[in-house]
Amino acid sequence: MRERTAFRRHAANPQSRVAASTWSLILLALLVPLFSCSAKPDPNTVVMIIENSPTNLDPRVGLDAQSERIDELLFDDLCTRDEHLNVQPGLAERWGVPDPRTYIFHLHKGVRFHDGRPLTSRDVKWTFDSLLQGKIRSTKAAAYRLVDRIDAPDDYTVVFHLKEPFATLLWNVSDGAIGIVPYGSGEEMSRHPIGSGPFRFVSAEPDKEVIIERSDGYWGASAHLQRVRFAVIPDATTRALEFAQGQRRHCGHVSHWRHGAGA
């Protein structure tokens, strides 16, 4: 009881808390150079510090912030959004709405997935059909509950037929909503994602890192960055030490890395 009382008096002493904080800062300052010199930074790699691993890199499934952050670089959506959140062309170079229940999208030609396969209307139809028909289980399917069916009359035309007018359809097929995957893609997409975005998947190790590289064959504006390593660092103090190293490190958003932006 006497020891517990003494401990409480020490913990309640503001001078003790200030001293402890001061020593913590000194220790942090001493450790930073050690961490910085432990490995030579790769000048071609930007390290993005994230708090936890992505739960699922299949763009039809992943809903957590880390999955969506990485998927945005690996996959393309039918539409994009500008800085004012207005819907703009993406994989679809244009679209038409002949009536409130029909949307016709015309795809860019010459787009290829990272494995070399051409991206056509069949891939777009499969991406959404796999959700609507339950081939892939995902809560994202609810966002397309008003879609009756999807037709692909030719390689570069996709027609969405709706059960009733659906004012937010364009928003629901734009950046961050659902990236287009190759025809026939199943659950393996979560382990080795194949998209058509400005970066391609290299490797992933749970609770450690995800590595992606610039796709030199990207159909749009090429990214300036060559490689991005998403380092999983849950602890705040360790994140501060990592951020202090000489290699370029970021803790913010990555959307500006898609189209020709640098670090």
Side-chain angles (χ1 to χ4, degrees):
M1 182 67 182
R2 187 174 302 169
E3 292 178 355
R4 184 181 302 174
T5 303
F7 172 78
R8 287 176 177 172
R9 284 200 303 267
H10 177 75
N13 188 338
Q15 293 180 346
S16 298
R17 291 200 299 271
V18 170
S21 299
T22 301
W23 278 110
S24 296
L25 290 173
I26 292 173
L27 179 60
L28 181 62
L30 291 173
L31 286 173
V32 165
L34 295 178
F35 275 77
S36 301
C37 299
S38 60
K40 186 177 181 179
D42 180 355
N44 296 316
T45 299
V46 168
V47 177
M48 181 73 187
I49 298 175
I50 56 178
E51 295 182 8
N52 42 59
S53 294
T55 58
N56 197 314
L57 289 177
D58 187 330
R60 299 167 295 180
V61 180
L63 281 171
D64 61 291
Q66 312 306 344
S67 296
E68 292 188 343
R69 176 179 288 175
I70 298 173
D71 281 346
E72 186 177 355
L73 301 175
L74 299 177
F75 296 90
D76 288 315
D77 298 68
L78 277 178
C79 301
T80 61
R81 302 171 195 160
D82 62 22
E83 64 273 17
H84 304 295
L85 300 181
N86 297 312
V87 176
Q88 301 292 340
L91 284 173
E93 60 182 6
R94 68 184 191 281
W95 58 86
V97 187
D99 63 73
R101 295 197 300 173
T102 306
Y103 283 71
I104 303 175
F105 296 90
H106 301 277
L107 305 180
H108 277 283
K109 297 180 180 179
V111 179
R112 291 186 176 273
F113 288 106
H114 300 145
D115 63 358
R117 283 180 283 179
L119 189 155
T120 67
S121 58
R122 184 174 77 155
D123 304 298
V124 177
K125 176 176 168 58
W126 170 263
T127 298
F128 291 95
D129 279 352
S130 60
L131 283 178
L132 298 174
Q133 297 172 8
K135 294 181 174 66
I136 293 293
R137 292 188 177 184
S138 171
T139 55
K140 284 190 176 185
Y144 308 100
R145 65 190 182 281
L146 296 182
V147 176
D148 183 35
R149 73 181 192 278
I150 299 171
D151 293 333
D154 61 52
D155 284 349
Y156 300 103
T157 304
V158 182
V159 183
F160 280 68
H161 298 278
L162 308 179
K163 299 174 184 177
E164 59 185 72
F166 188 16
T168 60
L169 177 65
L170 290 178
W171 183 268
N172 288 355
V173 298
S174 61
D175 278 349
I178 180 169
I180 302 304
V181 301
Y183 175 80
S185 297
E187 295 181 354
E188 78 284 349
M189 187 59 54
S190 64
R191 299 184 297 274
H192 192 88
I194 299 173
S196 63
F199 290 85
R200 67 176 186 86
F201 176 80
V202 175
S203 64
E205 186 173 342
D207 300 322
K208 182 181 179 182
E209 64 183 11
V210 177
I211 298 175
I212 63 176
E213 287 183 343
R214 180 178 62 213
S215 174
D216 292 328
Y218 183 55
W219 62 276
S222 179
H224 289 169
L225 301 177
Q226 181 172 330
R227 173 179 283 228
V228 181
R229 173 177 172 259
F230 292 86
V232 181
I233 305 176
D235 180 70
T237 301
T238 308
R239 286 200 300 271
L241 290 170
E242 286 284 328
F243 192 79
Q245 293 188 49
Q247 192 170 354
R248 292 178 294 171
R249 297 176 185 272
H250 297 263
C251 295
H253 297 288
V254 300
S255 58
H256 65 290
W257 292 351
R258 276 189 57 91
H259 305 299

